Amino acid sequence: MRYAGADILGGFTAMLITIPSSIAFGMIIYSPLGEGFAAQGALAGIVGAIALGLVAPLFGGTPSLVSSPCGPAAAVLAAFTAEVLKLHGTEPSQVPVLLALTTVIAGIIQLLTAGLKGGRLIKYIPYPVISGYLSGVGILLMTGQLPKVFGVHSFTGVFNPGMWCIEPLVIGVVTIAAMILAPRLTKKIPAAMVSFSAGIAAYWVTALFIPGLSSLSGNTFVVGYLGASMDGAFLSGIMGRWANPGIMDYEHLHVILFTAGTLAVLLSIDTLKTSVIVDALTNTRNDPDKELRGQGLGNIASGLFHGMAGAGTMGATLVNISSGGKTRLSGFYAGLFALTAFVALRPFVAWVPIPVLSGILIVSGYRIVDKNSLKLLLQRSTFFDFLVIMSVVISAVILNLIVASGVGVAFAILLFLREQTRVPIIAGKSYGNQVFSKRKRLPDEMKILYESGQNTVIYRLQGSLFFGTSEQLYSEIEPSIRTCRFMIMDLNRVISIDFTAIHRLEHAARQLADRGGILILTSLLENSGERQNKKRYLEDMGFAASNPHVLFFDELDEALEWTEEALISASGITRKEDAVLSIGELGLFANMETDVLATLSSYMKQMDFSHKEVIFMTGEDGDEIFFIRKGTVRILLPLERGRHHLLAVFGQGDFFGDMCFLENTSYPGLFTPHGKNRRSADAVADGDVSLYVLTREDFRRMAVSHPRPAGIFYEELAGALSMRLRQTTTELKSLQEA
């Protein structure tokens, strides 16, 4: 009740917009049937304003939105009327039922779209398609109404002054001028209301000089008697029409369904576009699926009572907001006032001048045309978008809106394909001597990887692998097929794969196999949620089975480690993985003299850990450095919800824990706030592990008693850490250049 007064005022002023425009739109739809159906068209527009106004706000999701018949619906249904009249056996008297059926089906489509959560998808129709369609609607509105203003029977008569009729021309020009000038003179009164009043005044001034305009009998310049009342006879008449729908063969049904689909999409776009603007003006957020449900129910109700289809309209909604309408009830009040006006002022509607309605529609049509689209012609990068808009416009004007909708869908597909193929399918490329796995290597192993790592190429792919990008992918990887032994494709950023792309990958795998190479696919997202399960799709297509020279890994790091092991193994280097290394066999001490090794050994302790046993944990105090005599150690970074991120893997002969060993606790900082060294990750044994351990305190005692061995140790440690930093620099440079 807080906003009741403001909602009532907003609904009333919105009704002043919807009633005259709804009458005009209804008459457009029925105009191909002849002048005898003008009153029936006006009635359809009014019923549409009532039904949409009463039903859509109650079930919709956008506050302040006003739903009523609109220009796009008028243009589409007018084209439909002209189309069905051409079909064999169609009588004009049967068309109103076909129009109502089309409106009901369009509402059902909107309702189903809302149920399938498709409201958000409609927003992704390319703007050039929408712009072209709406511009075509605007041009059709103008060209369809100009003959009525000039008092001629066809559009060609507009260019023949000898055929002009002075009465409608004077009334129409006054209406158009008022429609254009009203916003400049006042913002409080809607322009449509000002022009409507000015046009009626011009009509009665003209009637002073032409007596025939003062009578309904034989007067073709006014709507005429509606012939309906809101009593039982009216409702029984509606039901009577449904009881005798006339011809309903394949041709009729085909046109009805196609038009209903077009109408549903266009009205949904129009509504959601208006809802977005309402959100911006009222600082709210609409639910597109809920709004489509309301619009669908509104159109179903309108169609059942032979009313016109409609949508959430911009003009009436803005008037509602500016007049104080705050909630959905303001839109409901607009429908309620429309019902009241129809019951109380039905005789007045018969005297509404047709040139007045035509003048309002001509200006409305002009405003619908997207004039800014002409700017797209000036830039080479946007020229194709301009062609899309013009193609849809020309199809709408020369052929019809149904054909234009098909052209729009075709261009929507082309625009999607164009954008997909514009994005490079390869996000980055690097080699095995630039990017390394998280397994830390000893100097002799790193030397091999730097020398032979170019035999491994890594491609980071992105987007969709489909028929539009598969040729681009193959063209870019073809040179590497002839030179590399291992080709890794990281699919982490790939959204989907189609059969054409699989065929190209099979071709590449066979070419690699002919040279003794292997294709490796990683990051296939086994549990990918809403995205395509790429691994399952590849397996279903028999991709791996068709070529044994294809390997799958869950993560890129696993693939890199596998290729590194293959290159190191091919070089002839062997490891004593089952043996426990002596201190002289460790990588850091390999070149030290015997006496230095003996001194170091006397200050070290030995520790053993079983599989998955924790060596140290994040946050623990510690200053030891560890040397791996046997086994593998994984360094893990704890994450939320019990998850971990793998930072590094250290193997036999390597060392870890160097950061806490080297940190100077005499100067507390970010990671040593209390003068203590804190571990920044977890160290976990991967299998049985045997270690040498040197504490910071033992190293200090050794430095005092045996400065030479301590200096040699420190120098070797600094060199090893420098090599690790250089490896990191190489990887960062490769990633940045990629």
Side-chain angles (χ1 to χ4, degrees), residues 349-413:
V349 175
W351 284 101
V352 173
I354 292 175
V356 172
L357 301 176
S358 297
I360 294 174
L361 290 176
I362 288 171
V363 178
S364 299
Y366 175 78
R367 290 173 178 172
I368 290 176
V369 175
D370 186 5
K371 277 75 71 176
N372 291 327
S373 61
L374 295 175
K375 297 179 181 178
L376 301 177
L377 183 61
L378 304 178
Q379 302 294 331
R380 183 177 180 182
S381 59
T382 57
F383 184 71
F384 183 76
D385 297 294
F386 176 78
L387 289 181
V388 171
I389 294 173
M390 292 308 300
S391 298
V392 178
V393 170
I394 292 171
S395 300
V397 174
I398 296 180
L399 300 172
N400 55 61
L401 284 171
I402 297 176
V403 174
S405 64
V407 172
V409 170
F411 272 115
I413 296 172

Side-chain angles (χ1 to χ4, degrees), residues 436-443 445-446 449 561 564-565 575 633 635 647-652 654-656 724 727-728 731:
F436 307 92
S437 71
K438 293 176 181 178
R439 185 181 182 98
K440 302 302 178 182
R441 304 290 179 180
L442 299 176
E445 294 176 335
M446 286 304 302
L449 295 182
E561 184 175 347
E564 290 172 357
E565 291 292 331
R575 300 193 188 97
V633 175
I635 307 300
L647 292 177
V649 179
F650 294 97
Q652 187 182 42
D654 215 336
F655 64 91
F656 63 96
R724 288 183 180 178
Q727 177 184 338
T728 301
E731 291 190 63

Side-chain angles (χ1 to χ4, degrees), residues 215-551:
S215 173
L216 285 177
S217 178
N219 189 349
T220 59
F221 297 132
V222 295
V223 171
Y225 181 59
L226 296 182
S229 60
M230 297 304 293
D231 54 17
F234 172 73
L235 296 177
S236 62
I238 294 294
M239 295 303 105
R241 293 183 192 175
W242 284 114
N244 184 26
I247 294 176
M248 193 63 65
D249 56 17
Y250 172 78
E251 286 186 324
H252 288 79
L253 190 60
H254 174 74
V255 176
I256 288 172
L257 292 177
F258 194 89
T259 303
T262 302
L263 194 62
V265 172
L266 191 60
L267 296 181
S268 299
I269 293 172
D270 203 19
T271 297
L272 296 181
K273 180 182 67 175
T274 304
S275 296
V276 170
I277 295 174
V278 171
D279 287 347
L281 293 175
T282 60
N283 196 26
T284 57
R285 184 177 179 84
N286 76 87
D287 183 340
D289 294 316
K290 186 177 181 181
E291 188 56 55
L292 283 191
R293 182 168 65 248
Q295 295 296 320
L297 291 171
N299 280 315
I300 291 172
S302 180
L304 288 175
F305 288 93
H306 287 264
M308 180 184 164
T313 54
M314 185 76 69
T317 298
L318 294 179
V319 168
N320 179 30
I321 294 173
S322 63
S323 300
K326 300 290 185 183
T327 71
R328 289 183 295 161
L329 284 178
S330 59
F332 173 80
Y333 288 135
L336 191 60
F337 281 121
L339 175 60
T340 304
F342 173 66
V343 173
L345 303 176
R346 191 174 70 257
F348 169 76
V349 175
W351 284 101
V352 173
I354 292 175
V356 172
L357 301 176
S358 297
I360 294 174
L361 290 176
I362 288 171
V363 178
S364 299
Y366 175 78
R367 290 173 178 172
I368 290 176
V369 175
D370 186 5
K371 277 75 71 176
N372 291 327
S373 61
L374 295 175
K375 297 179 181 178
L376 301 177
L377 183 61
L378 304 178
Q379 302 294 331
R380 183 177 180 182
S381 59
T382 57
F383 184 71
F384 183 76
D385 297 294
F386 176 78
L387 289 181
V388 171
I389 294 173
M390 292 308 300
S391 298
V392 178
V393 170
I394 292 171
S395 300
V397 174
I398 296 180
L399 300 172
N400 55 61
L401 284 171
I402 297 176
V403 174
S405 64
V407 172
V409 170
F411 272 115
I413 296 172
L414 288 177
L415 287 172
F416 171 77
L417 293 177
R418 184 186 67 158
E419 293 306 314
Q420 288 294 315
T421 54
R422 275 183 172 182
V423 178
I425 195 66
I426 296 179
K429 174 185 176 183
S430 51
Y431 291 93
N433 54 6
Q434 297 173 317
V435 178
F436 307 92
S437 71
K438 293 176 181 178
R439 185 181 182 98
K440 302 302 178 182
R441 304 290 179 180
L442 299 176
D444 56 343
E445 294 176 335
M446 286 304 302
K447 182 179 179 182
I448 292 171
L449 295 182
Y450 277 119
E451 291 176 350
S452 57
Q454 72 273 8
N455 289 314
T456 301
V457 62
I458 303 103
Y459 289 105
R460 293 175 179 83
L461 308 185
Q462 64 182 359
S464 297
L465 293 180
F466 71 114
F467 62 88
T469 57
S470 57
E471 185 60 34
Q472 172 195 345
L473 172 64
Y474 182 78
S475 298
E476 295 197 35
I477 68 174
E478 187 177 17
S480 298
I481 293 175
R482 296 192 294 266
T483 58
C484 292
R485 179 181 172 190
F486 304 113
M487 179 176 290
I488 300 175
M489 292 187 179
D490 182 14
L491 307 182
N492 184 49
R493 296 167 64 182
V494 170
I495 300 172
S496 62
I497 305 175
D498 75 351
F499 185 71
T500 303
I502 289 179
H503 175 73
R504 275 302 188 188
L505 291 177
E506 287 177 339
H507 185 55
R510 284 193 295 269
Q511 286 185 300
L512 281 169
D514 291 341
R515 298 184 58 260
I518 294 177
L519 176 63
I520 302 172
L521 303 180
T522 74
S523 307
L524 296 177
L525 292 176
E526 181 86 35
N527 300 315
S528 53
E530 295 181 357
R531 297 168 67 181
Q532 180 191 35
N533 190 322
K534 297 185 284 289
K535 184 174 182 179
R536 181 179 300 170
Y537 182 72
L538 290 170
E539 290 173 347
D540 290 344
M541 294 293 103
F543 176 63
S546 65
N547 195 325
H549 293 271
V550 177
L551 298 178

